[in-house]
Amino acid sequence: MNKIKVKNPVVEIDGDEMTRILWAFIKEKLILPYLDIDLEYYDLSIQHRDETDDQVTIDAAEAIKRHKVGVKCATITPDEARVQEFNLKKMYRSPNGTIRNIIGGTVFREPILCKNVPRLVPGWTDPIVIGRHAFGDQYRATDFLVPGAGTVKMIYTPDDGGKPVEYELFKFPGAGVAMGMYNLDQSIRDFARASMNYGLMLGWPVYLSTKNTIVKAYDGRFKDLFQEVFETEFADKFKAAGITYEHRLIDDMVACCLKWSGKYVWACKNYDGDVQSDTVAQGFGSLGLMKSVLMSPDGETVEAEAAHGTVTRHYRLHQQGKETSTNPIASIFAWTGGLKHRAKLDGSEDLKTFAETLEKVCVDTVESGFMTKDLAILIGPDQAWLTTTQFLDKLNDNLMKAMA
């Protein structure tokens, strides 16, 4: 068959450990045989990040901003043990965090539904999309150990030469910990725009959750700015689409989430989104069946990634020459998520159809009883499973049949 010509480049970001092994197979067997595509490649392995003093991560993010589409493999965020393991120059920040801070926007996570994979929450019959604010809060906070009795203060000094404003945080009677965190009005407004654009794209209602009753100024600002953006930019569009926007307290939203069946976008602050995206993923059955998309506020720029880590335990087995049974579906959906956005920007129906076909092949293969061990365990002790290589080969065979 003739390859589908992809008009504009896609930024490809390689990663670490077992997911890097999967990534190479996916590209060579499931992507390149079908697409004539210009992939602008960046190696974000922990070794190469160390060699470049993490400049490669910044370069990759800037490339995504230029081309508007990126696909990313899972990467290591080093802790003390990893610094020793790889003899790193320093403990580098999360690559995902660096890319998010450069591109801006919001991370949206959505489960991949397979009918035969049981859900921990049986009432979740439709997808729930978690929109995680990708800026500030705990992730860019200054935190420190308070060594002993004393007073911690916060001071705001205006750039215009105005009088500084001082806030007393706490008089410490003894040792403890303290933290100062922040966010920006512009970032919160962009978070609102991205969340509401995503809701419009899906035709689903949008909810924002905060704890504004307790954190009145900080969380209250999120509530107020979301309402402002909705009323000035989205109210008419939502009405025409037959969908709604609403703010709820996070404890109320968590309770509603367990009761509702799905089909809504839940906009969460940074830490809440980090936690709730994993809760929702597990509630739908598997962390290995989760899409993750970073979208800019205007909906023009997208980076799609695997929502899980680098599967270190399986990689150790792989290094020993042993077979593993590692689920590649989230990594495949990282590719298809990016390709679908490239197709949208380029107006390419052929590319859109290919990406949707590859996604359908993944789901159909699992639903027909062929899967990796992580999914088989969820279904039951009698469910057969395939090794990593066997499952990837099965997907390859089924994609060739579907594209024939």
Side-chain angles (χ1 to χ4, degrees):
M1 56 171 273
N2 292 327
K3 289 186 179 183
I4 297 164
K5 174 65 179 173
V6 182
K7 296 176 190 174
N8 290 294
V10 168
V11 177
E12 179 201 352
I13 299 175
D14 211 344
D16 289 298
E17 298 187 324
M18 199 65 208
T19 41
R20 187 182 179 95
I21 307 295
L22 300 176
W23 195 259
F25 184 100
I26 293 164
K27 181 169 75 168
E28 295 303 322
K29 297 288 188 178
L30 305 180
I31 304 297
L32 293 183
Y34 304 95
L35 303 181
D36 178 3
I37 185 170
D38 177 11
L39 294 172
E40 189 168 316
Y41 178 84
Y42 292 85
D43 180 7
L44 261 63
S45 65
I46 189 62
Q47 297 92 336
H48 193 235
R49 278 181 275 151
D50 192 51
E51 288 168 16
T52 64
D53 297 315
D54 213 27
Q55 182 62 41
V56 66
T57 307
I58 296 167
D59 294 344
E62 294 294 345
I64 294 170
K65 285 178 74 174
R66 279 197 309 277
H67 299 301
K68 298 189 182 301
V69 181
V71 293
K72 180 181 174 296
C73 181
T75 46
I76 290 170
T77 299
D79 55 12
E80 288 91 344
R82 294 295 205 170
V83 170
Q84 285 191 328
E85 179 185 345
F86 294 104
N87 193 26
L88 303 178
K89 297 170 192 169
K90 65 178 184 179
M91 196 185 305
Y92 296 98
R93 287 179 177 267
S94 157
N96 290 346
T98 299
I99 292 168
R100 284 197 299 265
N101 288 329
I102 290 171
I103 293 174
T106 299
V107 177
F108 295 96
R109 290 196 169 176
E110 178 182 344
I112 302 159
L113 301 188
C114 298
K115 291 174 185 173
N116 55 336
V117 177
R119 294 169 192 126
L120 288 175
V121 185
W124 288 355
T125 53
D126 290 301
I128 298 168
V129 174
I130 301 290
R132 175 186 171 189
H133 188 206
F135 181 81
D137 296 354
Q138 289 93 326
Y139 296 81
R140 298 187 78 175
T142 299
D143 63 324
F144 58 95
L145 299 176
V146 178
T151 302
V152 174
K153 296 180 178 180
M154 294 193 299
I155 301 171
Y156 164 64
T157 306
D159 282 349
D160 62 6
K163 186 179 178 182
V165 182
E166 186 176 286
Y167 299 89
E168 183 177 298
L169 186 65
F170 188 60
K171 283 185 184 297
F172 281 79
V177 289
M179 177 171 73
M181 67 184 197
Y182 64 91
N183 224 294
L184 297 174
D185 282 3
Q186 185 58 49
S187 181
I188 297 168
R189 287 192 178 99
D190 285 346
F191 174 35
R193 292 184 182 109
S195 300
M196 290 173 194
N197 273 320
Y198 211 88
L200 280 172
M201 182 181 77
L202 295 174
W204 295 354
V206 176
Y207 297 90
L208 167 70
S209 64
T210 74
K211 196 68 176 175
N212 70 299
T213 51
I214 303 300
V215 194
K216 289 180 170 60
Y218 199 105
D219 282 27
R221 194 64 175 155
F222 279 78
K223 178 180 182 289
D224 293 346
L225 291 180
F226 258 70
Q227 193 64 36
E228 173 197 296
V229 168
F230 173 70
E231 289 174 359
T232 57
E233 301 177 32
F234 288 93
D236 292 342
K237 295 175 185 175
F238 270 47
K239 187 176 180 182
I243 58 176
T244 55
Y245 161 72
E246 188 178 347
H247 168 269
R248 286 177 178 255
L249 286 172
I250 182 138
D251 40 350
D252 177 39
M253 191 64 204
V254 169
C256 290
C257 172
L258 290 171
K259 292 186 292 185
W260 294 346
S261 61
K263 280 195 174 179
Y264 57 87
V265 177
W266 179 1
C268 292
K269 292 174 62 206
N270 209 346
Y271 182 84
D272 298 340
D274 193 356
V275 174
Q276 296 301 341
S277 58
D278 279 357
T279 301
V280 167
Q282 201 64 68
F284 274 99
S286 173
L287 289 168
L289 293 176
M290 199 73 170
K291 304 182 222 177
S292 184
V293 171
L294 173 66
M295 177 181 278
S296 63
D298 59 8
E300 284 291 303
T301 302
V302 158
E303 181 230 37
E305 61 181 342
H308 54 66
T310 57
V311 203
T312 306
R313 186 169 57 85
H314 287 197
Y315 185 60
R316 297 292 182 238
L317 295 172
H318 174 79
Q319 287 176 308
Q320 296 166 26
K322 295 177 182 176
E323 285 285 359
T324 66
S325 185
T326 316
N327 189 345
I329 291 176
S331 294
I332 294 170
F333 273 69
W335 278 96
T336 58
L339 293 172
K340 283 194 291 185
H341 190 65
R342 182 78 275 164
K344 178 184 172 184
L345 295 178
D346 295 351
S348 173
E349 279 299 317
D350 286 347
L351 181 57
K352 177 174 180 278
T353 300
F354 167 75
E356 289 174 346
T357 300
L358 178 49
E359 289 183 352
K360 188 173 186 301
V361 163
C362 289
V363 173
D364 288 351
T365 300
V366 171
E367 290 183 347
S368 62
F370 300 94
M371 66 195 73
T372 45
K373 188 177 181 180
D374 59 312
L375 301 182
I377 289 170
L378 297 173
I379 293 171
D382 297 329
Q383 174 61 54
W385 52 271
L386 304 175
T387 65
T388 306
T389 305
Q390 289 170 337
F391 183 64
L392 286 166
D393 286 341
K394 187 69 177 175
L395 291 176
N396 186 30
D397 292 343
N398 288 348
L399 181 60
M400 283 194 284
K401 291 172 187 171
M403 292 299 293

